[in-house]
Each structure stands twice: as C-alpha cells, then as structure tokens.
Amino acid sequence: MRIKYPTIICVCLLVVSICSSSLTGRITLTRNVLSTTDDNNLSSEFTPQASPQFILEEVGNFYDGGMGRGVFLDGSYLYVADVSDGLEIINISDPTSPFQLGQVNDSSTAYKPFIVGSYAYVADRYDGLLIINISDPTNPVQIGQLDNGGEYWGGIFVKGSYVYLADRFDGLEIINVTDPTNPVQVGNFDDGGNAYSVQVVDNIAYVADYTDGLEIFNVTDPTTPVEIGQFDDGEYALGVHVVDDIAYVADYYGFEVINVTDPTNPVEIGQYYDSSGTAYNTYLSGNYLFVADDDDGLEIFNVSNPTSPIEVGQIFSGGQTRDVSFFGCYAYVASMSNGVQIVRFGYDADGDNLTEYEELNWYFTDPYDDDSDDDTILDGEEVIAGIDGFTTDPLDSDSDDDSILDGEEVVAGSDTFITDPLDDDSDDDGLLDGEEVLIHSTNPLVKDSDYDGFSDKIEVDFGTNPNNPSDFPQFITPPPETIILPPENITFTSTVESGYAFLAVVTIAGFTIGLVVIVRKRRK
C-alpha cells in the first residue's frame, strides 16, 4: 500500500462575530457586593476600618560584634563610630538590609563622627581627632590626626574650616583643618569642667559640660572663644542639640528644654524627668525629639509645645544606647551592645500603616485617606507585599486594567475567585479576568472552563457556551470524521480514515470566518 496523491478538502464556515472584549458599564466591587452602572468609572462601597496611630518598629539592624558609640547620617550612608572597630561606613539605601561598605580601624576608640564633603572627622577617646578621606566609601583612608593627650568623649562639630571638640577635662578645643592632612589647634577654653558634647550655630558654640550644665561661647574669633552664658541647675549635661533658639540638653535624668534666644541669658522652659534612664544624646526632627537613653533605648517625644514634652513612643535597643540620628521616617540608633538599630517611625493619621512622610514623599497617596484609590485595600497593604502577597498601585483601583478592583481580586469575594491583581488575564485564555467573571461567568483561573477541548476565548468567539461541555464550535458542513480536540491544541483526527485537519480563524469587519482544511490520505 502506498500513497499516490493527497486529497485536500476545504470547508469554510461563516459565523457572525460575538462581541467579547469590552465592558461598557462601571463595575462597583466590594468584598460582598458586585454591581454595575452605566458609566465608565470604578468605585467602591467598602471602606476599610483603620484608626490613627504612631508607627514604631525595628526594620533593620547592623551588628558585627562591635560597640556602636556615635552615628552620622549622610545620604545613603551611615557613618558609625565604633569603640572597638573604628569608623564603619554602612550602606542604608535599603534600611531593612544595611551592609558595610568600608572601615578604618587602627585599634582606636572612635566615639563620634562628623561628615563634611569627602572627609570624615572622628573624635576618638584616646587618639584625639582623626581625619579620614571617604571619597571612596569602600576604601576610606586616614590622612590626618591631632592628639593633645585629652579624652575626647564624642563631642565634635565641624563648621567651615574649623573643628570644635569637646575634650572632656580639657574643655572646648578649636582646630583649623584648612589642610586636613595637617590639623592645627588654634583655640581652647577650659574652666575645669567635663566637656561632653558641642554644637555650633552661627558664631555661638553650645557645650554640654556635665556638672557645669550648658555653657555658651562666642567663637567669632576661633582663636579666642569667650564664654557668654551658662545654665546649670545641678544636673549632669551629656549632650546638646540646638534648633531654632531652643537647646535640648540630655542629662542623667531625661532632658531639659532651654530657650537660648538670648545666649547670654538661657532660660529653662521645659523638662522631662526620667529617674530610671540616662539620656546621652538628642536629635530633633520636626515636632519630635529622639532621645538615646542608656537603659531605656530610643525614646520619642512630641515637643510641639516645648514647655510640655509628651512621650509618644519607646523601643528598646539592647542596652547602652548612646546616639541617634533621624531622617524621613527612619531613626538610626547606636548601641554599645547591639550595633546599629534602624527604627521606622512616624504618625499614621489614617491608620493605613504608612507614615505621613511615606505617603507624601514616596507614594504620593492621601495621608488622611486609608484607601486613596478606593479599591478596598489599605494603601499600606498595596505598597508592601503583605497578607495578600501582592504589591499593587495605591493610586490605581484596578492595577492591571481588567475591570475588577484590586481588592476584589485578592480576596474570594462575590465572584469566589482569587485572581492576580497585576495580570489582566490570570489564566492566559485570551479573555480579561473581568470579562470572564462579569460577562461570561467563566472561571478566570482555567483556560477551558467546561473542559470540552475548546478554550473559553474560542467558544466566546464562535458563540458557543463556554460553560457547557456539550456545546462547542460546530461547522456548516462538518466532515465525516469525529472531531477530538485536546485542550489548547486545535487539531483534528479521524476515526474513519487517517489524515490531518487544520483550523484557521480570521476576523474581518466584525465577522469571524472559520476555515477547516482537511488533508486526507488516499490509497491507490
């Protein structure tokens, strides 16, 4: 038996096209309600339940066995003065996953860094002032040093060409660093106190001088600092931070708020007393004061009314908390026993688990609306792959434009299906999820809802019922062969004679033409 020639039989089928890819009404979806209206806008009848709150949570940590003593934040880098590991440079572009870029460690006892341009100025307890070139943060190099034999307990501030050092028993020292490779001391003030911290504003230097309280100096002439004011109520001043003529002084028993509008006559206007803690340093951002407290960790106060500070949060940092810096919505806390702790903090006015800062500066959502796009998912749940596992657009109620709200896709709501809010066709059958659920009542997770061998899209195009396995595309003049169609494989086999069949579908001017081509073998 051999094949002499093939016979080709062509059957054309003309079918009126069925409209299958448009939704003309508005879809209003909630977790329990689905309805349509006559316009093209989406809306929601569900309002998430949320309440205002402060967000305070540890999100990251860097600990390599050292002892974090001081921190300085500069862009995406955190500079850490580590008592046992020297100066460490940490990449914090992702606060949840900080990692070390570079380090300088010559067995020094680094207490506090200060960064200006390409240089890090480090107050080292026993080695004095260290100057480090950080132009390459992966390879920092020490280029200068000045050691007068004092004890530099972390008080350092740089302004212009001068470094101001709180040199404990030697008081305030002023060093010219015009040539960073050759720092030269040009001024000093020592009254026998214990200088721990220093900050310079304009031409005024504020020094936390332990038992002498807050001392204020005119440093217009750096070679001759002149004391012009003092506030001493018997407490032990350890740190000072000055903003808008208000000095926040950390001491053994909390902190004091001092008005320094007239630096010659500083006046205490507020205080927070804490008998159980020892505040080492403070940092003000907006209306919030961050306090590094030895035993109590990070404490946060609302000082919008500086005469009456109110504690709004606290998080333990592992003990021996020494310093803190803050930017955006992250606090960076130095701990002698736990390295650096990164803490997310901010006021969440609408209870969507995003701080006001994050909403206004990162996501551009409404900080007073917990669901900015009305898709029934809280803004905070949309931007973080939380319970539902998806990260959707908090400003677009339908992130994948499939005509189903994101909130309806991620829960088994009225349609009973959980679909992908980032994929408009979850089962890749050629029909949008919204078309399947709202128009054809097909399964958006299965290409062939009735398992008859024809995908839902083909059945819709041919006008058959995609939910009825007995109703599948028929032809005007069906061939004598029995048609068997495995899922997604549009081929024909014959139970009568061997051969091949092909189906081509073409849509022209609103009409669908199905062309069945049968190639049959003929025996001689």
Side-chain angles (χ1 to χ4, degrees), residues 81-221:
D82 189 297
V83 172
S84 58
D85 290 338
L87 177 69
E88 297 178 307
I89 304 175
I90 312 301
N91 186 315
I92 53 166
S93 53
D94 177 3
T96 66
S97 184
F99 61 92
Q100 181 173 304
L101 285 173
Q103 179 182 22
V104 171
N105 184 17
D106 61 354
S107 300
S108 61
T109 49
Y111 265 45
K112 179 74 173 181
F114 198 103
I115 311 303
V116 177
S118 297
Y119 299 106
Y121 301 87
V122 181
D124 187 283
R125 180 173 181 180
Y126 297 117
D127 290 341
L129 172 65
L130 307 180
I131 303 177
I132 299 169
N133 187 320
I134 54 171
S135 55
D136 178 1
T138 66
N139 184 34
V141 178
Q142 181 176 324
I143 60 171
Q145 180 180 9
L146 178 66
D147 181 10
N148 289 331
E151 285 194 27
Y152 301 87
W153 276 72
I156 185 170
F157 196 92
V158 183
K159 188 175 186 295
S161 298
Y162 297 99
V163 172
Y164 299 82
L165 284 175
D167 187 4
R168 200 175 180 193
F169 300 119
D170 290 336
L172 174 65
E173 294 181 349
I174 303 175
I175 301 167
N176 188 316
V177 290
T178 301
D179 178 2
T181 66
N182 183 35
V184 178
Q185 180 173 324
V186 296
N188 172 249
F189 184 92
D190 179 16
D191 62 357
N194 258 325
Y196 271 79
S197 178
V198 59
Q199 181 177 345
V200 180
V201 180
D202 296 328
N203 293 315
I204 304 298
Y206 301 86
V207 177
D209 198 281
Y210 203 53
T211 54
D212 286 343
L214 176 66
E215 295 185 315
I216 304 174
F217 299 88
N218 185 320
V219 290
T220 302
D221 179 0

Side-chain angles (χ1 to χ4, degrees), residues 298-312:
L298 174 64
E299 295 181 305
I300 305 171
F301 297 82
N302 185 325
V303 291
S304 55
N305 178 4
T307 66
S308 182
I310 300 173
E311 186 169 4
V312 297

Side-chain angles (χ1 to χ4, degrees), residues 1-7 498 500 520-524:
M1 179 178 66
R2 62 187 178 85
I3 298 176
K4 183 176 182 181
Y5 58 87
T7 299
S498 62
Y500 306 94
R520 186 174 57 194
K521 297 178 182 178
R522 175 172 291 179
R523 288 178 287 183
K524 182 176 178 182

Side-chain angles (χ1 to χ4, degrees), residues 254-305:
F255 63 90
E256 296 173 301
V257 185
I258 300 172
N259 188 321
V260 291
T261 303
D262 177 1
T264 66
N265 184 35
V267 178
E268 180 178 307
I269 59 173
Q271 182 181 26
Y272 181 84
Y273 183 79
D274 180 7
S275 60
S276 64
T278 300
Y280 270 84
N281 280 295
T282 61
Y283 191 93
L284 183 73
S285 178
N287 291 324
Y288 299 103
L289 185 70
F290 299 83
V291 179
D293 188 289
D294 185 24
D295 298 318
D296 293 339
L298 174 64
E299 295 181 305
I300 305 171
F301 297 82
N302 185 325
V303 291
S304 55
N305 178 4

Side-chain angles (χ1 to χ4, degrees), residues 389-514:
F390 295 106
T391 302
T392 47
D393 186 345
L395 296 175
D396 186 347
S397 59
D398 182 8
S399 296
D400 58 5
D401 297 322
D402 63 357
S403 296
I404 303 179
L405 295 182
D406 294 342
E408 178 71 8
E409 295 210 58
V410 300
V411 297
S414 55
D415 57 28
T416 73
F417 298 112
I418 297 178
T419 47
D420 187 340
L422 300 175
D423 186 346
D424 59 5
D425 181 9
S426 296
D427 58 5
D428 296 321
D429 64 355
L431 294 176
L432 297 180
D433 293 343
E435 294 177 300
E436 298 214 57
V437 171
L438 302 171
I439 294 180
H440 308 297
S441 299
T442 48
N443 188 336
L445 302 175
V446 177
K447 291 185 178 181
D448 179 9
S449 296
D450 57 7
Y451 300 101
D452 63 358
F454 290 89
S455 70
D456 295 340
K457 170 67 172 174
I458 290 178
E459 294 218 52
V460 167
D461 284 345
F462 275 88
T464 56
N465 187 347
N467 293 303
N468 184 353
S470 299
D471 184 16
F472 50 83
Q474 304 294 321
F475 305 100
I476 294 176
T477 306
E481 291 83 11
T482 299
I483 299 173
I484 303 173
L485 295 176
E488 301 182 54
N489 184 10
I490 305 183
T491 60
F492 291 83
T493 60
S494 172
T495 59
V496 178
E497 299 176 80
S498 62
Y500 306 94
F502 304 94
L503 173 64
V505 179
V506 181
T507 301
I508 302 176
F511 296 94
T512 299
I513 299 174

Side-chain angles (χ1 to χ4, degrees), residues 331-349:
Y332 302 87
V333 185
S335 167
M336 296 276 283
S337 59
N338 196 34
V340 175
Q341 182 183 35
I342 303 177
V343 177
R344 178 171 171 248
F345 170 79
Y347 184 61
D348 178 11

